[in-house]
Amino acid sequence: MSPSLDDSVRYVKGVGPRRAELLNELGVCTARDLLDHFPFRIDDFSRVLPMGLIIPGSEVTVQGKVVSAGFVHSTRGKAFRVCISDGTGVLYLVWYNMPYMYRSFRPGLSVAASGKVEWRRGSFEIAHPIWRESGTPSEKGPVIPVYHATQGLTSQSLHSIIKEALKVYVPYIRPLIPKSVLDKHGLLSEVQAYKAIHNPDSPDIWEKARRTFAFREILSLQIGLLSMKAEVEKAPSPQAFTRFDKAQAFLRDLPFRLTPAQQRAIQDIGRDLTSGRTMNRLLQGDVGSGKTVVAMWGLLSAVENGWQGALMAPTEVLATQHYKTFSELLGSRARIGFLSGSTRKSDRESTLERLESGEIDILIGTHALLSPEVKWRNLGLVVTDEQHRFGVKERLKLTSGHEILPHMLVVSATPIPRSLALTLYGDLDVSIMDSMPEGRSPVATRCVGRSGRDLAYRALKEELSKGRQAFVVCPLITEGKTDRRAASIVKEELEKGHLKGSILGLIHGSLSKNEINETMSRFVAGEIQVLVATTVVEVGIDVPNATVMVVEDADSFGLATLHQLRGRVGRGKHPSVCFLIASTDSGLRRLKALEKISDGFEVAEMDLRERGPGQFFGTAQHGVPDTKLAELGVSLDVVARAREEAKEMLSLVESGFAPPEIRETVERIRRRFGDPLEYGRSR
Ligand code: ADP
Ligand code: MG
């Protein structure tokens, strides 16, 4: 049998059953996956600096032999130090609180390391360097790709496996994008790009390969989405809404006055709904700006004008919370249903029946709303909340397959930098909510190093004694291979230490939905004082009595995520504070910006400068942050080019004059993207 890219990785030279398992853990199952497992970084050892020439404060790459290694105590905890020398000078590599590092070093070992040099304890030091064992540079080549590895499978062994795979499989790669298109944008051919990303001769060619793949990803995504949108939008729009009495009465009965931003958003939506064209609107506003009420007004208007409404939230917790809020605030104005993955079978059946017969006016739920069994009588308005957790594909799924194309309101608390909004949301009108309900004070943010933990938890305890509640957020669920703080461990520590006698709860993604729901409801009810959690609390939870948040290892999160997180406090009348504990000095410096900036858009612009547009692209278009695009280091100009090219290719195909290779590319992408109309048929 001839090789195929669909071959199991097991049969790639140098893999075998044991390594195949490890690769599977990394999501690599076939030869194609292996070629698509890109290095996320390269180490450029072509510019090694002699240690004698080091200037403190600079970023350097050095190479030398281990002279000695040992532990010292420091204010930042137990430090493991390795002394290396290259004959021109000596330098120390230092790891804090990572005792197991000692296993990696022995005297005489050749190592290369890079990082920022600081003058400490009377010598040069690099704290937590990037490092590897090294031969002489010529043995390994000066530019080394670095892969995401797993225990038992190093970056180096991955590289040699991938090199074998390239030898065998390169002839079988079937390029997706015509060479003429890639040429036009000064990119590599796909085959060249595969070779160059895994075996770069220089940093420049590696960058070019990454640009090529980023372009390919974005181009195909755009072609897929634009095609799907065109297909979906063939359906006619709902008739202009004419009645708003109930919706207005609902606003009058609210226990508060609308903010100017809420009023403007409602006007925007009202104009859309009375226009006779299908609304496609993004409602963007910082956490706590009161977007829910605006969405409720829209849904109630739909009901009043004879339509059903849908509200889809990304998590069970959030959907449940909305269901409660809606039931309380709407009262008898609408009949509300709930549907999620954990709805019991009998409830589910009766809900689906009532939905189809029109006895439910507004259905609230999770992704479960996208299931093909959900049949609407006449869906007129779809709201997706916290849209950054979904993607365009999901929102189009919900509106497709109806005889009339429902109105669409996309609600998001993730500010997209203005410079990106047009590219990412080109198909949506935007309402921005830029004022907060009165009486809210911005959450005070304090960034501290690990030595500041004590202070943070003392402040937290103080708030508990006043009857307030608190969040503790950690990057991991359980202790892993890194020294990152894990929620389950932190909870135990706190119960024995700082928070002895307080009532703590734990939620994270690998608990069952029921467990999460139960803990959440107990927290909302005030029975649990401190909720220790992973970022599952990031989205939309509203507990006004919570006034403190402590984020452990905050520097492992993006600034935008941290901004979302701190929005979980400061939602009531009491002043709130968020402590961000950084694990490194450079991390601490990065976080400091959040102490001064409270505007989500500004935070987003900073994140864009720091980490590039990849993450926003992912979150805006298809839900989860796209680590692949972020890792490919996609730049703004690639995004813009790919979007333009997608439009051009599609209009060529529409016109019937497209060259065969363009037509084929578009067809292949459309097939891969799937038929939108197979979802959510109404009758
Ligand atoms: P988000 O925009 O983050 O989704 P919510 O819609 O959950 O925010 O609103 C946060 C809280 O503010 C809710 O408790 C809500 O009842 C309240 N709220 C909304 N609008 C106003 C307002 N105009 N004045 C006072 N409180 C408001
Ligand atoms: Mg919300």
Side-chain angles (χ1 to χ4, degrees):
M1 230 170 49
S2 68
S4 137
L5 286 167
D6 295 320
D7 288 349
S8 155
V9 276
R10 224 195 113 158
Y11 304 110
V12 172
K13 197 168 158 196
V15 179
R18 160 103 188 93
R19 280 183 155 180
E21 253 171 57
L22 296 173
L23 284 167
N24 291 350
E25 271 175 36
L26 291 171
V28 175
C29 303
T30 63
R32 180 182 287 107
D33 297 341
L34 200 53
L35 298 189
D36 281 334
H37 191 66
F38 298 147
F40 63 97
R41 193 186 76 218
I42 47 171
D43 281 343
D44 181 7
F45 290 101
S46 61
R47 282 177 302 177
V48 171
L49 190 71
M51 292 178 194
L53 299 181
I54 285 173
I55 302 165
S58 57
E59 296 273 348
V60 300
T61 298
V62 294
Q63 190 158 352
K65 282 196 160 55
V66 174
V67 180
S68 62
F71 289 96
V72 291
H73 283 280
S74 78
T75 49
R76 293 169 63 187
K78 200 169 170 188
F80 175 63
R81 297 174 95 211
V82 177
C83 177
I84 60 172
S85 166
D86 67 354
T88 70
V90 295
L91 176 143
Y92 286 86
L93 309 178
V94 185
W95 286 268
Y96 294 96
N97 304 312
M98 294 170 70
Y100 44 85
M101 285 304 298
Y102 83 91
R103 284 186 227 127
S104 309
F105 295 93
R106 57 188 150 70
L109 184 76
S110 273
V111 296
S114 55
K116 189 168 177 185
V117 181
E118 273 159 310
W119 180 257
R120 274 230 183 93
R121 289 176 269 254
S123 39
F124 290 127
E125 272 192 18
I126 304 181
H128 294 243
I130 293 159
W131 74 283
R132 66 179 174 101
E133 266 187 64
S134 66
T136 56
S138 61
E139 262 170 47
K140 301 210 168 182
V143 183
I144 309 290
V146 183
Y147 295 88
H148 281 302
T150 170
Q151 217 151 32
L153 201 59
T154 62
S155 167
Q156 255 161 25
S157 41
L158 263 164
H159 189 208
S160 40
I161 293 168
I162 291 172
K163 275 201 277 198
E164 289 300 330
L166 276 172
K167 276 188 215 155
V168 177
Y169 291 100
V170 158
Y172 299 92
I173 292 172
R174 194 174 150 222
L176 180 67
I177 314 296
K179 185 153 180 323
S180 57
V181 172
L182 293 171
D183 281 348
K184 182 164 120 196
H185 295 281
L187 299 168
L188 302 175
S189 77
E190 284 173 64
V191 168
Q192 286 170 329
Y194 273 110
K195 289 181 182 161
I197 203 163
H198 293 297
N199 282 321
D201 294 328
S202 67
D204 288 349
I205 190 91
W206 186 71
E207 270 309 324
K208 210 165 172 184
R210 296 210 308 164
R211 269 177 81 85
T212 305
F213 286 118
F215 182 85
R216 182 182 73 176
E217 291 304 307
I218 296 171
L219 180 70
S220 36
L221 193 61
Q222 290 291 340
I223 290 179
L225 291 172
L226 292 173
S227 305
M228 190 164 170
K229 194 168 133 63
E231 190 62 39
V232 166
E233 290 179 352
K234 279 182 187 158
S237 300
Q239 263 193 347
F241 287 13
T242 51
R243 290 190 296 271
F244 293 91
D245 302 336
K246 279 191 188 169
Q248 292 309 110
F250 155 74
L251 294 182
R252 275 197 303 277
D253 291 352
L254 284 174
F256 43 72
R257 284 234 312 278
L258 292 183
T259 66
Q262 283 171 322
Q263 286 169 13
R264 274 197 305 274
I266 286 177
Q267 276 165 14
D268 290 346
I269 295 168
R271 229 178 298 119
D272 293 343
L273 298 179
T274 49
S275 74
R277 271 176 296 122
T278 293
M279 169 170 75
N280 253 310
R281 184 167 291 278
L282 171 68
L283 177 62
Q284 217 175 64
D286 238 328
V287 273
S289 57
K291 299 183 289 295
T292 314
V293 174
V294 176
M296 283 170 116
W297 180 86
L299 286 164
L300 204 53
S301 310
V303 173
E304 196 175 347
N305 285 274
W307 298 95
Q308 288 176 311
L311 172 61
M312 183 164 76
T315 64
E316 178 109 18
V317 172
L318 198 55
T320 314
Q321 188 177 295
H322 278 318
Y323 180 66
K324 273 174 61 187
T325 313
F326 272 63
S327 307
E328 279 161 25
L329 289 182
L330 290 184
S332 61
R333 293 191 167 102
R335 294 162 296 178
I336 303 166
F338 181 82
L339 191 70
S340 79
S342 56
T343 304
R344 267 184 323 198
K345 194 156 176 281
S346 56
D347 290 344
R348 179 184 169 82
E349 277 164 9
S350 91
T351 300
L352 290 177
E353 256 177 52
R354 286 185 296 137
L355 186 72
E356 198 171 0
S357 65
E359 286 161 68
I360 287 178
D361 298 318
I362 300 174
L363 184 62
I364 299 175
T366 58
H367 283 86
L369 264 52
L370 296 173
S371 145
E373 292 147 62
V374 179
K375 299 195 175 55
W376 303 82
R377 201 171 93 83
N378 60 348
L379 181 60
L381 170 63
V382 171
V383 179
T384 49
D385 190 24
E386 302 295 346
Q387 111 94 20
H388 63 291
R389 290 299 178 101
F390 298 112
V392 181
K393 212 164 160 176
E394 271 101 346
R395 71 171 149 92
L396 288 176
K397 260 189 218 173
L398 247 177
T399 50
S400 70
H402 303 279
E403 276 166 22
I404 303 285
L405 180 64
H407 293 294
M408 159 82 66
L409 181 67
V410 172
V411 177
S412 174
T414 310
I416 297 290
R418 289 177 216 284
S419 45
L420 268 181
L422 190 69
T423 320
L424 298 183
Y425 288 126
D427 60 324
L428 295 175
D429 300 315
V430 182
S431 294
I432 290 179
M433 305 233 304
D434 53 6
S435 57
M436 287 283 181
E438 266 169 42
R440 297 274 169 79
S441 44
V443 178
T445 302
R446 303 265 170 277
C447 303
V448 295
R450 278 186 175 171
S451 57
R453 282 189 87 210
D454 232 35
L455 176 96
Y457 283 110
R458 275 210 305 273
L460 187 153
K461 181 125 195 168
E462 178 68 29
E463 284 294 297
L464 297 187
S465 73
K466 291 189 234 157
R468 304 284 87 77
Q469 288 166 280
F471 294 100
V472 174
V473 182
C474 305
L476 295 179
I477 297 172
T478 52
E479 208 76 10
K481 289 157 226 155
T482 65
D483 69 334
R484 295 276 174 232
R485 308 276 299 165
S488 48
I489 310 280
V490 167
K491 174 170 178 270
E492 276 173 32
E493 267 177 30
L494 291 175
E495 278 170 339
K496 287 190 209 122
H498 283 289
L499 303 182
K500 206 165 169 179
S502 307
I503 305 163
L504 278 66
L506 177 69
I507 61 169
H508 54 66
S510 54
L511 293 174
S512 77
K513 284 184 187 146
N514 283 340
E515 285 170 302
I516 293 180
N517 285 342
E518 197 196 311
T519 307
M520 264 321 295
S521 348
R522 289 181 52 211
F523 185 63
V524 173
E527 290 163 34
I528 289 174
Q529 294 173 283
V530 183
L531 192 65
V532 184
T534 53
T535 47
V536 289
V537 295
E538 182 198 331
V539 276
I541 292 165
D542 191 19
V543 182
N545 190 41
T547 54
V548 207
M549 170 174 286
V550 177
V551 184
E552 294 268 2
D553 285 337
D555 47 336
S556 53
F557 298 107
L559 296 180
T561 303
L562 291 169
H563 180 70
Q564 297 274 325
L565 281 170
R566 71 178 167 182
R568 298 301 117 222
V569 292
R571 299 173 74 94
K573 51 185 183 294
H574 308 286
S576 296
V577 57
C578 174
F579 289 93
L580 303 177
I581 304 180
S583 64
T584 63
D585 290 346
S586 58
L588 184 60
R589 276 193 298 277
R590 186 170 70 88
L591 298 182
K592 281 279 180 192
L594 288 174
E595 287 188 347
K596 287 180 226 95
I597 302 179
S598 58
D599 175 61
F601 284 97
E602 258 183 78
V603 173
E605 293 286 353
M606 274 186 51
D607 233 14
L608 174 66
R609 283 196 296 276
E610 272 186 13
R611 300 193 302 165
Q615 39 163 350
F616 293 105
F617 199 84
T619 49
Q621 296 277 12
H622 46 148
V624 283
D626 194 321
T627 47
K628 189 141 206 161
L629 279 174
E631 268 168 18
L632 284 171
V634 48
S635 61
L636 268 178
D637 75 300
V638 170
V639 174
R641 274 165 179 274
R643 187 170 166 97
E644 283 313 305
E645 187 61 51
K647 283 191 193 152
E648 203 170 313
M649 287 169 71
L650 285 172
S651 69
L652 269 177
V653 170
E654 280 315 290
S655 73
F657 293 116
E661 72 270 15
I662 300 256
R663 229 177 23 237
E664 193 198 319
T665 296
V666 168
E667 273 160 23
R668 273 175 72 193
I669 292 171
R670 282 181 175 164
R671 268 201 306 279
R672 211 171 61 177
F673 213 77
D675 169 14
L677 298 182
E678 76 194 57
Y679 302 104
R681 284 197 181 279
S682 56
R683 255 160 252 166

